[in-house]
């Protein structure tokens, strides 16, 4: 392709020319800090979530550390219109996460407010979620939860404002008796997933697990 010759895909870290379907070169891939969490074992996210709501299992793919490659990857996905990174991250998850005989019933991604969705042009979690759903053969629902208020990005808020998000989400349809995995990009305080989790838990006899691209340690 002429465009591939004129504008070759480059590693987002070292700028080396790489395959069009790859995010980083092999050398830089070694600099990504994967968590190596076990979905069925307790980890830092599990412990934080248990203080906020009844959680079943949790998983994070990478560490979201200051000034590291993992943070750059998430920022490229969210703020530089590189939606396809979501598919790559999901493929990395499938290489590391095995639900074994305990597959959840439904995958649900954190929604954007319609105004934010229009500004960004895409929800950075949708392709990620859909790729996981296809691989694991688990249904997904992008419409189950709606965001009620428009607000600036979590990364731009101070801690006080991140902790205050009452009534931020609501459930759009009846659902009961399901084990639902909530999917988000970065886990920080746990406030976002907690707000959604309580909506799901209060809707019926449901269970909630959490899966995120990255955890901000």
């Amino acid at each position: 392709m002429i465009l591939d010759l004129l504008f070759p895909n480059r590693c987002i870290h070292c700028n080396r020319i790489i395959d069009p379907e790859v995010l980083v070169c092999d050398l830089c891939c070694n600099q990504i800090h994967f968590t190596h969490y076990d979905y069925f074992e307790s980890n830092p996210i599990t412990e934080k979530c248990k203080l906020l709501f009844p959680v079943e299992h949790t998983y994070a793919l990478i560490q979201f550390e200051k000034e590291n490659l993992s943070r750059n990857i998430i920022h490229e996905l969210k703020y530089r219109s590189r939606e396809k990174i979501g598919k790559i991250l999901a493929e990395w998850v499938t290489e590391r996460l095995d639900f074994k005989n305990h597959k959840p019933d439904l995958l649900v991604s954190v929604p954007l407010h319609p105004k934010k969705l229009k500004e960004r042009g895409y929800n950075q979690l949708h392709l990620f979620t859909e790729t996981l759903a296809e691989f694991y053969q688990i249904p997904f629902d992008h419409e189950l939860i709606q965001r009620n208020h428009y607000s600036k990005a979590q990364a731009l808020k101070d801690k006080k404002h991140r902790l205050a998000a009452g009534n931020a989400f609501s459930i759009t349809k009846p659902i009961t008796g399901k084990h639902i995995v909530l999917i988000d990009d970065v886990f920080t305080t746990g406030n976002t997933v907690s707000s959604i989790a309580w909506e799901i838990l209060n809707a019926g006899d449901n269970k909630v697990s959490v899966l995120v691209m990255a955890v901000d340690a």
Side-chain angles (χ1 to χ4, degrees), residues 173-185:
K173 64 189 78 171
I175 187 165
T176 186
K178 301 295 184 181
H179 180 189
I180 296 171
V181 172
L182 289 181
I183 295 177
D184 202 359
D185 45 29

Side-chain angles (χ1 to χ4, degrees), residues 24-66:
V24 295
C25 68
D26 291 339
L27 290 176
C28 291
C29 189
N30 293 328
Q31 298 184 42
I32 298 174
H33 297 167
F34 292 98
T35 67
H36 304 294
Y37 286 175
D38 186 325
Y39 175 76
F40 295 102
E41 298 290 334
S42 182
N43 59 61
I45 296 180
T46 311
E47 299 307 311
K48 288 184 178 180
C49 285
K50 283 182 177 179
L51 298 175
L52 301 170
F53 65 94
V55 68
E56 298 298 314
H57 309 291
T58 66
Y59 180 82
L61 177 66
I62 55 181
Q63 297 282 352
F64 190 74
E65 298 165 340
K66 184 177 181 179

Side-chain angles (χ1 to χ4, degrees), residues 50 52 74 80 98 165 172 176 205:
K50 283 182 177 179
L52 301 170
I74 300 298
R80 297 186 182 275
D98 183 358
T172 64
T176 186
D205 184 25

Side-chain angles (χ1 to χ4, degrees), residues 86-100 103-104 107 126-140 183 211:
K87 183 176 187 296
I88 296 173
L89 292 176
E91 291 170 349
W92 289 352
V93 170
T94 63
E95 295 169 0
R96 294 164 173 82
L97 173 58
D98 183 358
F99 288 115
K100 301 176 183 177
K103 286 201 305 184
L107 304 181
H126 282 184
L127 185 56
F128 178 79
T129 301
E130 292 160 14
T131 303
L132 294 177
E134 181 179 4
F135 179 85
Y136 292 113
Q137 292 298 291
I138 300 171
F140 66 89
I183 295 177
L211 190 160

Side-chain angles (χ1 to χ4, degrees), residues 102-118:
H102 302 281
K103 286 201 305 184
D105 300 304
L106 187 67
L107 304 181
V108 174
S109 56
V110 173
L112 294 177
H113 187 273
K115 182 178 179 181
K116 178 62 69 64
L117 182 60
K118 185 177 181 180

